[in-house]
Amino acid sequence: ERAPSKVIGVEQRLIAHIKEIVDATENIVGKKLNYNYAQRRSGDPAVVLAKAELAENVLGWKARYTNISDIIQTTWNIEDK
């Protein structure tokens, strides 16, 4: 018999507005992004929240980076190889 499974979110309590993410990304990649703002689609949540405490308690996982620029920079370093 299979053990019960759990869904564990690993996001940090990070508040970042779309404009902050776009600005940080443009700064890190050194290019202007081509984007358009649009109305939220039907069914899209107004806010998305996640807590990583369960991942830390169950898996011993803790986020290494907690600010949006560091997160984007480390991702860019991996993708830019």
Side-chain angles (χ1 to χ4, degrees), residues 11-17 20-21 23-25 27-28 61 63-76:
E11 294 85 2
Q12 273 298 75
R13 287 186 184 180
L14 172 69
I15 298 172
H17 298 279
E20 292 174 273
I21 295 169
D23 290 347
T25 303
N27 184 49
I28 290 164
W61 180 89
R64 185 179 305 162
Y65 306 104
T66 58
N67 91 34
I68 195 64
S69 291
D70 290 342
I71 293 167
I72 294 169
Q73 183 67 64
T74 56
T75 303
W76 180 250

Side-chain angles (χ1 to χ4, degrees), residues 5-66:
S5 62
K6 287 187 179 185
V7 175
I8 301 175
V10 293
E11 294 85 2
Q12 273 298 75
R13 287 186 184 180
L14 172 69
I15 298 172
H17 298 279
I18 297 297
K19 180 74 171 123
E20 292 174 273
I21 295 169
V22 169
D23 290 347
T25 303
E26 288 179 339
N27 184 49
I28 290 164
V29 303
K31 295 180 183 177
K32 187 87 174 137
L33 299 179
N34 183 13
Y35 64 93
N36 293 309
Y37 288 105
Q39 294 296 318
R40 210 173 28 212
R41 299 166 299 184
S42 176
D44 282 351
V47 176
V48 177
L49 302 172
K51 296 190 312 185
E53 283 88 358
L54 184 60
E56 186 172 353
N57 293 338
V58 173
L59 304 173
W61 180 89
K62 189 169 184 174
R64 185 179 305 162
Y65 306 104
T66 58

